[in-house]
Amino acid sequence: MTTPATANPMKQLIVSLGLHVRSELLAYEARGRDRRVHGDSPGGDAQFDVDEVAERAVLDYLRAHAEVPMALYTEDGSYVELAPEPQILLVVDPIDGTRPTSAGLEMGMVSIAAAPYGDGAPTLADVDAACLVEIKSGAWLYGDDTEGLDSSGYPTAVPRLSRNTDLTRMFWSIEFNGHPMDLMTEAYGHLVDGSANTGGIFVFNSSTFSISRIITGQLDAYADIGNRVLRDHPDTEERFLRVGRGSILHLFPYDIAAAVHLARLAGVVITDAYGDDLGSTSLVDLGPMNQKSCIAAATPELHKQLLDSIRWDLGRAAAAPVVKEES
């Protein structure tokens, strides 16, 4: 896929950045990826060899091509000022969907969000341009507050939102990384049972891919409820830490900054799992209290039904003791 011919310098920069990261990852794949974990991100998520390639590609490209003073915040590299007194903050997840990317599957995406630097404490509501690039296909979505949505590489025009309002016919995705399985089953297992045959249920390990599939019309909804479960039931923290290998692994700001902006431009109903707006989310805070849950749906009716139908009280599952692993 090619970079758009445009007089919009931010669009040119971030679409080109996403496509550059993709090209570096494809070149690495051609040489032979090894699925090696080389450490953890500052947030505690495992970082694979492909993450290292993508992080380096982002920094090298921006150092060579950024014409406006910028600061950069990425999953592994954290905060870097590319020039003194930055005017713009780029929040980049070089690979959202590291595991599918490592497996050569379609769900890996480069996620880029841009916000005015302002007072140095920008939030998700400040994002005014965003881009997602599919690593496997090269298709991309771009949107900003001036020109709206643009895309390349999709078989039909986007956005193309579903009109489904029926939970039993819902095509949707859920998240398990860092989420205790028994708690998730207690919360929405009945919705999985009700939709798995007459609709479809998927686990993509990429929030951006999931949300973007609502924009393309391939999915009706997406749910990542871990952070609400933890907030509602703080006694489950030890269990979240256990499956997160000592860290709370919910939605970080770099996971969703671009996807939320694009979803809003597309008309997707997207909130946290309380139904509240995500705009107050700090773009540079990885702490558990700034991590988020997310419910996104193509229609307001489906969004409300999801919020109302998930079992937030959890019953005995929340009170169950932690099962200690044998050493």
Side-chain angles (χ1 to χ4, degrees):
M1 301 297 165
T2 59
T3 305
T6 176
N8 182 333
M10 181 55 67
K11 181 178 183 179
Q12 180 75 28
L13 177 68
I14 66 177
V15 175
S16 298
L17 170 60
L19 292 171
H20 172 73
V21 174
R22 174 184 182 251
S23 69
E24 292 295 296
L25 287 167
L26 293 181
Y28 179 71
E29 180 178 0
R31 296 193 298 271
R33 57 179 178 267
D34 61 12
R35 301 188 192 177
R36 173 177 50 86
V37 175
H38 66 81
D40 293 335
S41 71
D45 203 7
Q47 295 293 283
F48 287 67
D49 54 313
V50 289
D51 290 306
E52 193 170 41
V53 172
E55 288 273 351
R56 184 169 60 250
V58 169
L59 194 55
D60 289 348
Y61 188 87
L62 288 175
R63 281 176 169 161
H65 294 90
E67 297 181 356
V68 177
M70 290 185 174
L72 172 66
Y73 198 88
T74 69
E75 178 176 11
D76 200 21
S78 292
Y79 180 82
V80 177
E81 288 192 359
L82 301 172
E85 300 182 0
Q87 300 173 17
I88 294 171
L89 175 68
L90 288 188
V91 178
V92 182
D93 192 346
I95 306 177
D96 188 59
T98 291
R99 291 153 192 84
T101 299
S102 294
L105 299 173
E106 292 79 8
M107 302 83 167
M109 303 191 84
V110 185
S111 170
I112 308 164
Y117 199 81
D119 60 2
T123 65
L124 199 151
D126 296 317
V127 171
D128 57 12
C131 179
L132 300 177
V133 175
E134 297 186 15
I135 295 166
K136 188 77 170 179
S137 71
W140 52 261
L141 285 166
Y142 171 86
D144 63 37
D145 291 342
T146 301
E147 298 183 7
L149 283 177
D150 191 16
S151 65
S152 176
Y154 295 99
T156 60
V158 294
R160 192 186 188 195
L161 302 187
S162 161
R163 298 179 181 178
N164 180 37
T165 60
D166 185 346
L167 290 173
T168 68
R169 295 178 51 243
M170 179 171 59
F171 278 63
W172 62 307
S173 63
I174 54 180
E175 177 60 55
F176 283 135
N177 183 29
H179 295 39
M181 177 71 81
D182 61 333
L183 297 181
M184 301 302 105
T185 300
E186 180 74 11
Y188 51 47
H190 60 295
L191 295 175
V192 173
D193 290 344
S195 61
N197 185 258
T198 52
I201 181 71
F202 305 92
V203 180
F204 293 133
N205 276 316
S206 169
S207 57
T208 58
F209 187 81
S210 293
I211 296 168
S212 71
R213 295 314 94 173
I214 303 175
I215 298 173
T216 63
Q218 293 167 275
L219 290 184
D220 302 315
Y222 163 67
D224 185 333
I225 66 170
N227 196 253
R228 173 169 175 176
V229 170
L230 176 59
R231 290 171 188 252
D232 286 355
H233 305 278
D235 52 324
T236 64
E237 180 177 13
E238 186 179 352
R239 295 159 75 179
F240 279 100
L241 289 170
R242 176 175 56 84
V243 297
R245 299 182 304 114
S247 298
I248 301 298
L249 301 178
H250 297 154
L251 288 171
F252 294 105
Y254 53 73
D255 288 324
I256 57 172
V260 169
H261 185 72
L262 294 170
R264 286 174 173 165
L265 290 175
V268 175
V269 183
I270 187 163
T271 67
D272 69 10
Y274 293 98
D276 295 332
D277 189 85
L278 289 159
S280 63
T281 308
S282 167
L283 292 176
V284 295
D285 179 359
L286 302 184
M289 295 310 294
N290 190 59
Q291 294 176 34
K292 295 298 176 180
S293 53
C294 184
I295 302 286
T299 62
E301 296 87 350
L302 195 64
H303 184 272
K304 184 178 186 306
Q305 288 183 72
L306 267 174
L307 281 174
D308 292 345
S309 300
I310 293 170
R311 293 172 178 161
W312 300 111
D313 60 1
L314 297 184
R316 286 179 292 181
V322 176
V323 177
K324 300 292 185 180
E325 296 182 0
E326 294 184 5
S327 57

